[in-house]
Amino acid sequence: MGGNKRGKSKQKKHKRRRTLAKRADKYELYEKSVQEPDADIPLIQKAFRTEFGRPARRLREDFCGTALLACRWVTSHRENRAWGIDLDPEPLAWGREHNLAPLEPDQAARVKLIEGDVRDIGHEKVDVTVAFNFSYFLFLDRPALRDYFERAYSSLDGEGLLILDVYGGADAQRTCEESREVDDDFDYVWDQDRFDPINHRATNFIHFLFRDGSEMRKAFRYDWRLWTIPELRELLAEAGFSHSKVYWEGTDRKTGEGNDIFSPRESAPDDPAWITYIVATRR
Ligand SMILES: C[S@@+](CC[C@H](N)C(=O)[O-])C[C@H]1O[C@@H](n2cnc3c(N)ncnc32)[C@H](O)[C@@H]1O
């Protein structure tokens, strides 16, 4: 009897279609939802040209995950080279298969993916080091973050930039969930699960919801400190950067929404939910 039952449930299992969540690949969903190398690269070049009057050619992507930006960087110019560094072998392996392998051999030869701690890895100096998607928020106190900034400073050539993205505003300092449709199949959910106003510690998750009702909850988890722009600029100066600029997003006159154009600004109007870039210069 027992054997029969097992046989039946096995048959059923084979007939049932696996849910969209079960079939999905979390790194593919992540790249589709949050990464925009085609917007990042022009911003990096604009900032570099503004400081030094020439294009950047060597990029280091700290906390690179699947290294989408590093791989796209080498396709944007035949002299561009990139280094991607991450502690976790899993996203690196995914990136090798999905982002590096499809490149032309000449392009792939200009990318180096390195498994290790961004604070320990040294290689040829670069023009620009980036730490995107707020990854450096994992450093929770001033000594730890200053130490990372000092090491990022030493990754740069005599003329170089460290570029960070930052988010903030009143909405960043509360618990909430925000979802948006990414494509026909799924929604991306940013879940600010915890925020502590005393120490600015935040726990955030990324979930994915699918059209068939299935869910991939807690696909990614982040335990961060929500740093402020003035704190970051002070620490960058302490780490040796000669100056830093905030590239703030302009506003579309018609919609009142952000227009995807980021330019240096000394002050900005109040905004409940902003994402901006800090460009720190070594010279
Ligand atoms: C938020 S993901 C960022 C992925 C990618 N940079 C992006 O823009 O989407 C953070 C990554 O940082 C990596 N990481 C965390 N601590 C690290 C460290 N000390 N050195 C190198 N990588 C680290 C994690 O393994 C993870 O892949």
Side-chain angles (χ1 to χ4, degrees):
M1 221 172 113
N4 266 349
K5 256 191 178 170
R6 272 205 298 277
K8 260 191 185 167
S9 69
K10 220 176 178 183
Q11 269 178 4
K12 265 192 189 164
K13 225 179 181 176
H14 281 302
K15 277 190 185 161
R16 215 182 296 136
R17 266 175 76 78
R18 288 166 76 219
T19 62
L20 287 171
K22 284 257 161 16
R23 279 182 278 154
D25 176 329
K26 71 173 188 174
Y27 293 115
E28 187 184 340
L29 301 173
Y30 177 88
E31 285 193 351
K32 279 187 178 168
S33 304
V34 309
Q35 293 201 284
E36 276 191 297
D38 295 336
D40 293 334
I41 291 170
L43 177 76
I44 293 167
Q45 290 294 13
K46 172 177 166 175
F48 196 83
R49 197 174 277 285
T50 301
E51 294 302 318
F52 305 117
R54 61 187 169 89
R57 292 288 165 238
R58 294 162 299 171
L59 175 81
R60 168 168 160 143
E61 185 184 9
D62 275 352
F63 315 99
C64 68
T66 59
L68 179 63
L69 178 62
C71 291
R72 201 58 67 80
W73 175 259
V74 299
T75 66
S76 69
H77 193 279
R78 65 183 188 288
E79 286 168 30
N80 281 6
R81 290 184 291 143
W83 289 258
I85 296 152
D86 202 285
L87 266 185
D88 188 347
E90 186 181 284
L92 281 174
W94 193 97
R96 280 199 183 90
E97 183 183 341
H98 295 87
N99 294 328
L100 191 60
L103 298 181
E104 300 291 333
D106 146 65
Q107 297 170 334
R110 289 183 275 116
V111 183
K112 297 237 169 345
L113 300 186
I114 303 168
E115 183 186 325
D117 191 312
V118 292
R119 293 166 295 183
D120 297 336
I121 303 297
H123 49 73
E124 181 185 333
K125 305 284 184 203
V126 295
D127 300 315
V128 180
T129 291
V130 298
F132 280 170
N133 276 313
F134 326 112
S135 307
Y136 64 93
F137 278 11
L138 62 85
F139 297 118
L140 301 177
D141 58 32
R142 291 175 59 92
L145 187 56
R146 189 174 42 236
D147 177 52
Y148 167 62
F149 286 166
E150 284 167 358
R151 288 161 195 257
Y153 181 89
S154 61
S155 71
L156 298 171
D157 212 342
E159 287 186 340
L161 300 181
L162 170 66
I163 308 184
L164 314 167
D165 55 4
V166 196
Y167 75 94
D171 287 351
Q173 300 189 26
R174 63 187 186 91
T175 55
C176 61
E177 277 195 20
E178 179 198 284
S179 69
R180 72 182 145 78
E181 187 178 318
V182 177
D183 69 16
D184 290 346
D185 269 359
F186 75 96
D187 287 356
Y188 158 90
V189 182
W190 176 246
D191 176 3
Q192 294 178 182
D193 188 56
R194 273 195 278 170
F195 178 75
D196 183 330
I198 293 182
N199 54 31
H200 268 222
R201 292 285 299 272
T203 298
N204 303 321
F205 295 101
I206 292 175
H207 316 295
F208 298 106
L209 311 183
F210 298 85
R211 291 295 162 266
D212 63 358
S214 59
E215 299 184 354
M216 189 190 288
R217 292 195 68 78
K218 300 188 177 176
F220 296 93
R221 173 188 176 129
Y222 305 105
D223 293 296
W224 283 342
R225 168 166 167 177
L226 184 66
W227 290 92
T228 66
I229 293 175
E231 287 171 320
L232 294 169
R233 297 182 80 187
E234 284 163 13
L235 283 170
L236 288 162
E238 287 175 28
F241 288 93
S242 64
H243 61 273
S244 62
K245 291 180 182 166
V246 176
Y247 276 60
W248 195 261
E249 189 176 11
T251 306
D252 184 302
R253 284 221 182 93
K254 279 189 198 141
T255 64
E257 300 290 320
N259 63 2
D260 291 330
I261 300 172
F262 291 83
S263 307
R265 293 274 292 270
E266 284 303 326
S267 77
D270 183 27
D271 185 332
W274 49 260
I275 291 179
T276 195
Y277 294 88
I278 299 182
V279 176
T281 297
R282 172 178 182 162
R283 68 156 92 242

